[in-house]
Amino acid sequence: MSVSKMEKLTAVVPRERADALLRKLMRLRAVSPVQPPSENTKYPPPKGDVAGAAERVSRVEAVLPVLAKRSVRKMRLFPERTKISHAAFRTDGSYERAWQVVAGTERVLEEQRRLRAEREELLAVMQAYTPYLDYRQRLDFTGTAQTELLLGALPGGTSQETVLEALEGRAAVGQLIGEDGAGLYLSVLVHSKEREATARALSAIGFLAATFPRRDGTAKALFDRADRRRAEIDEALEGLETRLRSLSERLSEVEVLCDVETTTLRAEEQKEHLAATAGYTVLCAWCPVQQKERVTRVLEREGACFEFEEPAEGEEPPILLQNNSFAKNFEWVVGMYSYPAYGKLDPTFVMSIFYMLIFGLMFADAGYGLVLSLACFLLVRFTHPREGMKRFLLMFGYCGLSCILFGVLFGSYFGNFPLAFLESFLGKTPEQMPNLSLLPAEAANVALLFDPIQNPMAFLIVSLGVGALHLLAGMAVQGFILCRRGKVLDAIFDVGSYWLLFAGIATLALGTTVGPWLTLGGVVAIVATQGRHKKGIVSKFIGGLGGLYSLINFASDLLSYSRILALGLASAVVGQVVNILATLKGGSVVGFILMVVVFCVGHLLNLVINVLGTFVHTSRLQYIEFFGKFYEDGGTPFKPMEAADRYSEDTTPEDAETVIQN
């Protein structure tokens, strides 16, 4: 439960070795760069190719989803990263082969785009010809020496009588070509002298002249020509899809290439923030002391001149938390609130214990806890999630164990399911089946301590008791911090005097004779010490009364823990309601099927909803009530420069040479 000590690294390396040094430090994930001092920025930093690197990353990322969609590789919730040396990948030909896959995919995609655009144009052409497929005349026929042809469509629903009326008395002959819901298609051969008058008459009833992309043949011939080309395009597109499926077999290589190029981009971006002289590059960064030896080895191999120094006054180093393997899973919960300030206490270890305890009380059910723990631990075991997701799952897995413990104590197994099953399907109560060997007494919803639903007052007392312990632990941490700073008397006055009062109140409740004296001693100690920093007797006395008045805040904080009762009862009652619905049909075959369906769906929903609610309220009790007693936050998390590892894990040894290849 500590914050890692940081030292300031300043390294000077020849400009030509800057890229190699950056890449090796990125593999270590051990330094967090900072802006060098202004006096080191006389010369421009090493020239980087950020635009080129970004363009390469963009190209690779564009083809990745295309290949992944067509890959036959088994999909996993948390895909396992490929273990490969990025340095070897760049030198053994894999880098070039991966780029060939990218370039080949780009060519296929470009050809697909061209063919699909042409196909869309053909479909539009075919749609234009479709209404006139029965028209046997060539479309470039416009009439004879004495006649002109009007070819087009009238609105859907126009009757032939309307057309005849429009042509009546005119030197024109109309021919119906076809009809569908969209229109009435016809050709009208009209004498040239009456062309304008006939056109106006037809226009009055909605006639629109037909327009065609091409007119060098009949509509049927042009349609068939376009359809044949469409079929050729479809065949070509299928061939391109086959090519993409073939390229997708090299998906893993392209994924490694994506990480390699992303790492290059990060290195190029970092170069722009370095200081430089005429022949050397200056790197400034924070380094955890436990990583100092590894970083030193890399710097020495690269021929760098360097020094480590303690943070100067006023500097704020980044925060790297150090905890054991259990508490480390709860660090992200602290991070959601705020990291501790540098040099201050990391509360993760103490918080993790209470987090598990309170989470288990709020969601005290052995069945739900077992499902939660198994799901989280198995996901970690078989899916190999990334570090952040791994810690997230492990935290909920441990909290599930706490749910199992309190579920057994309170006799909750998916609510009261064992009891509901016995009564609805067997028509028995636990008392009628004393020799039942398959189900122990606890599984029949017989609590080892008490049933929270039947005895909510006992559950409230337990909730407030845990809350009091939580608050006292926060005060204990505050006392520890004061003692570590050498303020032992402050710890005694600001923590010990309140503890004395609380001890007196507790013994008063138990009816002991020493209770009144302890209570009185606590009151006197608080009044006498809480105004000690003020001037004047009256001010000190008023300050002491203010310290006594602050007990109201403690009581208010304590009442916040009644949410443990509320969340615990909510999950239990919903679970019982699900069990009632699941066993409505009794012991019939239909009833059994109904029970399985309702049980699975209902309890899964209850699990998901209450895990979310329990997480939120448990976190709130840590952030507001617990941290409020001692926590000094404001730190910035340690973010080392690191190689990209979304798809692959770089196994290049620390002492390997870094190959520069752009």
Side-chain angles (χ1 to χ4, degrees):
M1 51 180 292
S2 63
V3 175
S4 176
K5 185 179 179 182
M6 292 283 172
E7 290 190 2
K8 187 74 165 291
L9 165 67
T10 303
V12 180
V13 67
R15 291 174 70 102
E16 64 271 13
R17 299 299 299 170
D19 186 89
L21 176 62
L22 285 174
R23 289 174 181 272
K24 290 187 175 183
L25 291 176
M26 289 170 72
R27 288 206 302 269
L28 291 184
R29 293 175 168 82
V31 297
S32 179
V34 295
Q35 194 70 29
S38 58
E39 59 266 21
N40 292 330
T41 59
K42 178 179 179 181
Y43 294 92
K47 185 178 180 180
D49 184 20
V50 176
E55 189 269 340
R56 292 195 300 275
V57 171
S58 177
R59 288 178 61 191
V60 178
E61 289 181 340
V63 304
L64 270 175
V66 175
L67 298 177
K69 181 180 179 180
R70 292 159 177 84
S71 175
V72 296
R73 187 177 65 184
K74 185 178 180 181
M75 301 302 294
R76 296 181 177 179
L77 181 60
F78 303 109
E80 188 173 359
R81 290 177 294 167
T82 303
K83 294 184 179 180
I84 187 172
S85 169
H86 286 187
F89 181 85
R90 283 181 165 272
T91 57
D92 63 6
S94 299
Y95 180 85
E96 291 78 10
R97 288 193 297 271
W99 267 114
Q100 290 173 3
V101 175
V102 173
T105 304
E106 290 175 331
R107 288 193 295 270
V108 171
L109 292 176
E110 180 60 31
E111 183 65 9
Q112 280 185 331
R113 283 191 288 268
R114 186 187 69 79
L115 290 177
R116 285 170 179 162
E118 183 181 352
R119 188 178 188 275
E120 289 299 318
E121 292 177 1
L122 288 172
L123 291 176
V125 167
M126 293 166 64
Q127 185 178 12
Y129 291 134
T130 298
Y132 302 93
L133 292 179
D134 293 333
Y135 182 59
R136 300 305 179 185
Q137 186 64 261
R138 288 174 60 89
L139 298 181
D140 54 5
F141 174 74
T142 59
T144 65
Q146 301 295 324
T147 63
E148 291 189 31
L149 180 70
L150 299 177
L151 187 64
L154 289 165
T158 304
S159 66
Q160 296 184 28
E161 289 77 8
T162 304
V163 178
L164 293 175
E165 290 177 3
L167 298 178
E168 186 176 358
R170 303 185 186 281
V173 177
Q175 179 185 0
L176 180 64
I177 298 174
E179 183 178 6
D180 58 25
L184 188 70
Y185 307 95
L186 71 156
S187 65
V188 179
L189 191 63
V190 60
H191 194 278
S192 299
K193 293 182 179 180
E194 295 198 20
R195 195 268 182 197
E196 293 298 328
T198 303
R200 286 196 298 271
L202 291 174
S203 178
I205 60 174
F207 181 81
L208 292 176
T211 57
F212 301 106
R214 299 177 63 174
R215 291 177 173 267
D216 55 341
T218 66
K220 181 70 166 59
L222 294 172
F223 179 93
D224 291 342
R225 186 187 305 173
D227 193 36
R228 285 192 298 272
R229 177 55 184 160
R230 180 199 56 77
E232 293 173 358
I233 290 176
D234 287 344
E235 184 177 354
L237 288 173
E238 181 59 35
L240 292 175
E241 277 296 318
T242 302
R243 176 62 179 155
L244 285 178
R245 286 192 290 270
S246 176
L247 290 170
S248 70
E249 297 174 2
R250 311 274 292 280
L251 174 61
S252 296
E253 296 177 38
V254 180
E255 289 177 337
V256 176
L257 176 65
C258 184
D259 281 344
V260 169
E261 293 295 0
T262 303
T263 299
T264 299
L265 174 60
R266 294 178 181 179
E268 297 299 328
E269 290 174 337
Q270 188 58 47
K271 288 179 187 177
E272 296 188 344
H273 300 289
L274 300 179
T277 64
Y280 292 89
T281 298
V282 181
L283 167 69
C284 294
W286 291 109
C287 177
V289 292
Q290 64 268 28
Q291 298 287 353
K292 184 175 178 179
E293 184 178 346
R294 296 175 65 208
V295 173
T296 298
R297 288 198 298 266
V298 169
L299 293 170
E300 290 174 344
R301 292 193 195 101
E302 294 300 320
C305 296
F306 61 92
E307 68 173 355
F308 291 91
E309 56 185 343
E310 296 287 334
E313 185 177 355
E315 284 188 313
E316 297 183 359
I319 305 302
L320 177 63
L321 304 181
Q322 288 183 292
N323 290 283
N324 58 35
S325 58
F326 166 74
K328 198 171 188 65
N329 302 306
F330 293 80
E331 288 179 354
W332 68 274
V333 180
V334 176
M336 287 180 62
Y337 180 76
S338 178
Y339 277 80
Y342 185 74
K344 306 303 180 182
L345 184 72
D346 171 20
T348 305
F349 178 73
V350 177
M351 186 214 71
S352 64
I353 297 174
F354 281 101
Y355 200 99
M356 266 191 67
L357 176 66
I358 295 174
F359 193 102
L361 277 172
M362 284 187 178
F363 200 25
D365 189 288
Y368 293 138
L370 181 63
V371 172
L372 183 61
S373 292
L374 284 178
C376 292
F377 290 143
L378 290 177
L379 282 173
V380 171
R381 174 65 179 83
F382 293 107
T383 62
H384 308 287
R386 302 285 296 275
E387 185 66 17
M389 179 57 68
K390 176 183 176 182
R391 298 301 174 191
F392 176 86
L393 293 173
L394 286 176
M395 189 207 78
F396 280 104
Y398 286 124
C399 288
L401 297 179
S402 179
C403 296
I404 294 174
L405 172 63
F406 287 106
V408 171
L409 294 177
F410 296 156
S412 182
Y413 302 80
F414 295 109
N416 65 338
F417 180 73
L419 179 60
F421 180 82
L422 288 175
E423 292 179 345
S424 298
F425 281 79
L426 302 179
K428 301 280 188 175
T429 63
E431 293 78 8
Q432 295 173 318
M433 305 180 70
N435 298 321
L436 185 63
S437 59
L438 294 178
L439 292 172
E442 304 91 81
N445 207 26
V446 178
L448 296 184
L449 288 180
F450 57 83
D451 184 345
I453 294 180
Q454 301 298 324
N455 195 350
M457 286 305 300
F459 194 22
L460 177 61
I461 293 173
V462 170
S463 301
L464 296 180
V466 170
L469 183 63
H470 197 206
L471 295 175
L472 291 175
M475 297 177 68
V477 174
Q478 180 192 23
F480 172 77
I481 294 173
L482 291 172
C483 290
R484 192 171 66 170
R485 294 175 179 172
K487 300 179 179 180
V488 178
L489 288 179
D490 285 345
I492 295 174
F493 294 151
D494 294 338
V495 178
S497 58
Y498 284 97
W499 278 17
L500 181 63
L501 176 60
F502 296 151
I505 295 174
T507 52
L508 272 176
L510 295 175
T512 61
T513 56
V514 73
W517 297 104
L518 289 176
T519 303
L520 180 60
V523 171
V524 172
I526 291 172
V527 173
T529 61
Q530 294 308 295
R532 63 187 183 277
H533 300 299
K534 298 183 179 296
K535 295 181 179 180
I537 299 298
V538 175
S539 296
K540 291 180 183 294
F541 179 72
I542 294 175
L545 292 178
L548 194 62
Y549 181 79
S550 66
L551 291 173
I552 294 178
N553 295 330
F554 186 89
S556 176
D557 292 342
L558 184 61
L559 288 176
S560 295
Y561 290 85
S562 60
R563 70 186 64 241
I564 296 177
L565 167 71
L567 270 293
L569 292 181
S571 62
V573 169
V574 172
Q576 288 197 9
V577 172
V578 171
N579 293 331
I580 292 173
L581 296 175
T583 57
L584 278 177
K585 293 294 183 180
S588 63
V589 175
V590 175
F592 182 79
I593 296 174
L594 176 66
M595 180 196 72
V596 172
V597 173
V598 175
F599 179 89
C600 293
V601 175
H603 285 296
L604 179 61
L605 289 174
N606 194 29
L607 173 65
V608 172
I609 292 172
N610 281 284
V611 164
L612 177 61
T614 302
F615 164 72
V616 170
H617 288 282
T618 303
S619 300
R620 183 211 176 275
L621 290 175
Q622 310 302 320
Y623 298 156
I624 306 301
E625 276 67 38
F626 186 58
F627 286 178
K629 297 293 179 288
F630 66 90
Y631 194 43
E632 299 173 87
D633 64 341
T636 302
F638 177 74
K639 295 181 178 179
M641 57 179 182
E642 55 186 1
D645 61 351
R646 181 178 179 183
Y647 302 103
S648 61
E649 181 180 342
D650 188 3
T651 59
T652 305
E654 291 182 11
D655 57 350
E657 284 297 319
T658 301
V659 177
I660 305 175
Q661 178 178 345
N662 292 331

